[in-house]
Amino acid sequence: MTEHPKSTAPVAAAAATGQNDHAVLVRDLVVRAENSRGSAELLHGVSVRVGAGTMHGLVGETGSGKSITASAVMGLLPKGVTVESGSILLGDRELVGAGDKELHDLRGPRFGMIFQNPRTALHPMHAVGKQMDRVLRTHLSLGKKERAERVLHYLNLVGIPDASRIARAFPHELSGGLAQRVVIATALLCDPTFLIADEPTTGLDATVQRQILELISRLQHELGLSVLMITHDLSIVAQYCDTVTVMLHGSVVEDGPVRRVLREPEAEYTRNLLQASTLSHVTRRVRAAA
């Protein structure tokens, strides 16, 4: 039997007291998929709060609803999948019911996404710099020289050596780690305040995974970003996140500060995740933070 959350309390409390120091506030979100064979509810009243300037972990196994939640926030739900009810606030701006143009205009300047597979996020037929330039032309009124300088600045910011050469390169010429750094640079091009990182280290070797996570953490602190980190790995949450939401079968089963959730999990599923994770790493992180 699916556990139901006790964890919506922080979201409800924030709403009740009028607190609005959130980057994104998802409340009671219901998402449904429909096709010729019928319909199915994918998210069952999901509530998630990402505090301003914090990193919030969204954790669960494959199929738990993490990516659907992120796609709903971005306004990028697949065909046949719609928000049935609930609210998604970006600051004080309601996204549920927003039109395609409004959402398109917000992506880039207000929020961005780091996809789990940079190979599919980047167009294989266009050089990196050309793709980044197109993002700038879409969202910002800058001259050609200013755009070129901005592209190089953000490639440098994410730690890419020889940024001019990489700007001329095609995605297939890049390693997985370099390609993901390009995706991160592209997500930051228009100075958004909120980023979704959807399993950003998938397919990378362990050393590169750590480098990418350290990069996202550094940028989050240096730029004052709010980040929703989607992962199935509680050791990542323990090391990098301030707060966490645990999902199972389209519902929230636990939510709260990372220290409390990992030290005193209320949900059986969270306890199972802890046991299945790199437990020695999680335990060490939690004890160090205590």
Side-chain angles (χ1 to χ4, degrees):
M1 183 175 179
T2 301
E3 294 183 69
H4 292 286
K6 300 174 183 178
S7 54
T8 53
V11 173
T17 57
Q19 294 176 9
N20 60 358
D21 58 338
H22 59 264
V24 166
L25 183 62
V26 178
R27 292 187 290 199
D28 302 321
L29 190 68
V30 176
V31 171
R32 181 173 295 278
E34 296 191 34
N35 57 33
S36 58
R37 292 173 293 181
S39 69
E41 195 172 278
L42 303 182
L43 297 183
H44 319 298
V46 167
S47 295
V48 178
R49 180 181 178 277
V50 183
T54 69
M55 189 179 296
H56 183 89
L58 189 59
V59 183
E61 62 194 34
T62 300
S64 62
K66 307 184 306 295
S67 292
I68 288 291
T69 301
S71 296
V73 172
M74 292 290 293
L76 294 174
L77 288 169
K79 185 178 179 180
V81 179
T82 57
V83 173
E84 187 172 90
S85 62
S87 171
I88 303 171
L89 290 174
L90 177 66
D92 59 359
R93 191 161 188 169
E94 178 61 64
L95 300 185
V96 172
D100 291 342
K101 184 180 185 308
E102 181 180 356
L103 290 169
H104 178 269
D105 291 344
L106 289 172
R107 294 184 206 114
R110 288 290 303 275
F111 56 86
M113 190 160 185
I114 303 168
F115 297 91
Q116 61 179 273
N117 187 347
R119 302 299 184 190
T120 57
L122 297 171
H123 196 295
M125 302 303 292
H126 298 298
V128 163
K130 183 176 180 180
Q131 295 185 55
M132 295 176 72
D133 181 76
R134 181 177 180 181
V135 171
L136 290 173
R137 284 188 284 115
T138 299
H139 293 290
L140 300 180
S141 299
L142 298 174
K144 184 176 181 179
K145 181 180 178 182
E146 291 174 296
R147 295 197 307 271
E149 290 174 348
R150 196 174 182 92
V151 166
L152 295 181
H153 169 75
Y154 279 95
L155 290 176
N156 281 311
L157 184 68
V158 299
I160 290 180
D162 197 358
S164 296
R165 179 180 65 82
I166 296 301
R168 297 191 298 272
F170 288 82
H172 72 270
E173 299 176 302
L174 307 180
S175 67
L178 271 179
Q180 192 60 295
R181 287 176 187 268
V182 168
V183 171
I184 295 170
T186 304
L188 294 172
L189 269 177
C190 301
D191 294 329
T193 56
F194 173 64
L195 286 182
I196 295 176
D198 186 4
E199 304 264 14
T201 58
T202 299
L204 303 177
D205 65 49
T207 301
V208 178
Q209 285 183 19
R210 182 175 179 81
Q211 290 172 353
I212 293 298
L213 290 169
E214 292 287 346
L215 171 63
I216 294 171
S217 179
R218 176 176 65 81
L219 292 170
Q220 187 249 323
H221 287 94
E222 289 182 357
L223 303 178
L225 297 170
S226 306
V227 177
L228 180 63
M229 174 67 72
I230 299 173
T231 180
H232 61 276
D233 189 345
L234 279 175
S235 65
I236 291 175
V237 170
Q239 183 167 5
Y240 297 103
C241 295
D242 303 291
T243 50
V244 61
T245 298
V246 183
M247 293 189 68
L248 176 65
H249 303 322
S251 295
V252 173
V253 296
E254 191 141 17
D255 180 279
V258 165
R259 291 187 192 182
R260 198 279 299 162
V261 170
L262 298 188
R263 285 170 62 91
E264 302 172 358
E266 298 176 355
E268 181 181 356
Y269 177 65
T270 308
R271 293 192 288 271
N272 292 339
L273 276 182
L274 278 166
Q275 292 175 357
S277 294
T278 331
L279 190 56
S280 61
H281 291 174
V282 174
T283 304
R284 188 164 62 248
R285 308 291 184 210
V286 172
R287 286 176 178 168

